[in-house]
Amino acid sequence: MVAEVLPDLDNALQDCAFGVISLILMTLSMTDYEEGIDRARELQALADRLYFQFYELLEDSDWPLEISNFEAYRLLLGRERNSCSGSKLKVFIYNTSREFSNHRLRTGVGMMGAASQIHAYLESGSCLTDDPDLADLFFVPAYHGVQYNDFLEVKTHEPDVEKRFPYLARHRGMDHFFVVSANLPSWETLHPLRHVMQLTVESYQVNDNVPRWYSPWKDVMIPGYIDRWRIKSMRSYNKPTSERGFLLVFHGNHPGTHKLYVTHKAKVRTAILDAFTGIPDCSVGAHVPDFFDRMGRSHFCLVPRGSSAWTIHLYESFFFGCVPVILSDFLEVPFQRAVDWPALSIKWPEDRVGPELLEHLRAIPLERIAEMKRRLEEAACYFDFHRGWGVRKPEDPVGWMSWSPDAVALGEDCDYLSHGDASSADSCRGSCDKDPHGCNLVNFLQPGSPQSPSGEDEKVASCVLRLCRDPAQPALTGGAAGWQVWSKVSDEALGCSPYAAIFEELEARRLHRPVSHGPLWN
């Protein structure tokens, strides 16, 4: 359909501009799949330019287009830079593995999207190097699904594997890493890469009766990916502690609804239903249409193992503000250097699910539950893959950060407040500092900048004050020639992201890596 619209774009825009923009954005993943990522970048840039051009007409159009819902595409396509969370490590990305990293927009969504997200982040980072002699680490991108399976099960076992990955043998792979978005490889499959670091959501699983586990000495546990729109929705259901009527909640698949949970012996899910069904302040069972509402109104979220040790329910609990009760004996939680897990969660043995657990949860004072919830929400930024982008430049004013040029923040995640002093960027930021409504971001167009939203060149200046829910991750629209975006971001906020925690773990692994002269010498 996009192919039909684009040749007659002017007439299509006259008929329904926001319909055209929506069509481009909603089919962007298909464009990437069928025509490649460069074509997807072209169309995403076009959608940005059109949205900026027609934005002022959106409110009166009643068209249901929210640009912030597509911000994840913008990041996946490399529209924003990042500082690799301030890490001094240099990372080399293999181009020889391109055949394992196609369809980024399709593989980069949903709970198994981490591999695509991390690849996009590294590609856009200041730590990237194309000189293998300068590299501290080597990244092998392989996206979840068929590409990941082909990489592990076929290509790494071929005789010419050293030609494909020429630096693998240098330190026996100990300076290489790849991402496991799901399904740990067996030791037989992993043999050529047995010393390579895995950034993995899985800590333990059994497939085909073969146990697989991660190594805490070399591998890094990471969270599953949660879509930006889903995080926004979950947070909208997050109730204060005083307004939560459920003690505990669990709704999801179990051996009675899905044979996968029978195969993998997820008996703890059956135990939850047997123990808590029918208790008035306990909501347990299969999927329900008001799942988000129940999660946001419960003090504790039960997080049982699923077909493997991990489940995305654990990371969702951070955005629902629902204290997780982890019921997965072999689950290793991620980022234990950065996150104080005992202060914000409970880990309980699978075989003791029943009256003892219920009694334990009822005995926890409401004040402690509120404190655990507060800590949970403070740590949520470590599980949001949309955090950690942007670069604070040395010349940026203290407490402020500039984003990519020629862009503006127009999404509903950043509410319009008023206009400020547009005589200079300093004056504009000063207007934000003085704003009584909590301004934390400005869109600024400096005096003398050419601006032509109506098609006529004119010299204008503008300072727009906005209040963002999270100024460390504003949804931006490109194609805004001459505009600048500045947001108030503390160093603490800038350092709270999954990428910051990942780099902290990678630096620790590199520091303590065993010395190796390689496989052979003479």
Side-chain angles (χ1 to χ4, degrees), residues 313-464:
H313 290 305
L314 173 59
Y315 308 112
E316 290 178 339
S317 67
F318 283 83
F319 305 105
F320 283 119
C322 182
V323 176
V325 180
I326 302 168
L327 306 171
S328 180
D329 294 347
F330 292 104
L331 175 65
E332 191 75 15
V333 293
F335 307 156
Q336 296 187 46
R337 296 175 195 272
V339 177
D340 185 2
W341 283 91
L344 52 78
S345 66
I346 294 169
K347 199 163 190 290
W348 190 267
E350 292 181 36
D351 62 3
R352 285 166 54 195
V353 171
E356 184 182 358
L357 174 59
L358 184 64
E359 181 181 351
H360 178 78
L361 297 180
R362 290 202 189 283
I364 299 175
L366 198 61
E367 293 77 11
R368 186 188 168 201
I369 295 174
E371 176 62 14
M372 294 178 79
K373 179 178 186 293
R374 183 187 68 79
R375 289 175 176 265
L376 187 78
E377 291 167 345
E378 283 182 352
C381 44
Y382 284 110
F383 305 97
D384 184 348
F385 279 89
H386 315 99
R387 291 288 296 257
W389 291 81
V391 178
R392 191 192 298 283
K393 304 175 184 64
E395 63 271 20
D396 287 350
V398 175
W400 286 89
M401 188 171 80
S402 59
W403 295 84
S404 290
D406 302 324
V408 285
L410 299 176
E412 67 175 14
D413 62 316
C414 293
D415 295 329
Y416 169 79
L417 296 175
S418 63
H419 278 65
D421 185 348
S423 59
S424 68
D426 282 341
S427 298
C428 184
R429 291 188 294 266
S431 296
C432 184
D433 288 333
K434 298 173 185 175
D435 178 78
H437 304 293
C439 170
N440 55 21
L441 179 143
V442 299
N443 293 326
F444 174 68
L445 183 67
Q446 64 185 0
S449 296
Q451 173 61 286
S452 54
S454 61
E456 299 179 2
D457 289 339
E458 51 189 22
K459 302 295 184 180
V460 298
S462 186
C463 172
V464 182

Side-chain angles (χ1 to χ4, degrees), residues 96-156:
T96 51
S97 67
R98 282 183 178 176
E99 63 189 284
F100 315 129
S101 55
N102 294 309
H103 320 314
R104 183 181 294 180
L105 300 190
R106 179 171 291 191
T107 59
V109 299
M111 58 189 260
M112 298 171 187
S116 307
Q117 295 286 336
I118 291 171
H119 185 200
Y121 186 85
L122 293 174
E123 271 191 342
S124 302
S126 60
C127 57
L128 183 66
T129 180
D130 58 4
D131 185 346
D133 291 329
L134 296 179
D136 301 297
L137 298 173
F138 294 80
F139 176 59
V140 183
Y143 297 169
H144 175 69
V146 174
Q147 299 175 95
Y148 170 80
N149 295 339
D150 188 41
F151 157 64
L152 279 175
E153 298 174 6
V154 180
K155 295 300 190 291
T156 59

Side-chain angles (χ1 to χ4, degrees), residues 142-201:
Y143 297 169
H144 175 69
V146 174
Q147 299 175 95
Y148 170 80
N149 295 339
D150 188 41
F151 157 64
L152 279 175
E153 298 174 6
V154 180
K155 295 300 190 291
T156 59
H157 295 266
E158 292 178 344
D160 65 345
V161 65
E162 292 184 3
K163 293 181 180 179
R164 185 184 292 273
F165 305 116
Y167 313 108
L168 185 63
R170 191 162 67 177
H171 294 292
R172 304 177 71 185
M174 288 188 288
D175 53 359
H176 284 52
F177 67 99
F178 66 94
V179 178
V180 179
S181 299
N183 298 324
L184 278 167
S186 67
W187 284 110
E188 180 180 2
T189 299
L190 194 61
H191 183 267
L193 305 175
R194 59 192 178 277
H195 300 305
V196 172
M197 291 180 285
Q198 300 175 84
L199 273 56
T200 173
V201 301

Side-chain angles (χ1 to χ4, degrees), residues 1 5 12-26 51 54-67 69-70 412:
M1 184 159 310
V5 169
L13 291 172
Q14 290 180 13
D15 290 341
C16 186
F18 295 111
V20 172
I21 298 168
S22 298
L23 180 62
I24 293 172
L25 292 173
M26 293 175 69
Y51 187 80
F54 292 102
Y55 167 71
E56 292 183 354
L57 305 177
L58 181 60
E59 185 174 350
D60 294 332
S61 73
D62 291 326
W63 189 270
L65 172 59
E66 175 41 51
I67 199 69
N69 289 338
F70 299 94
E412 67 175 14

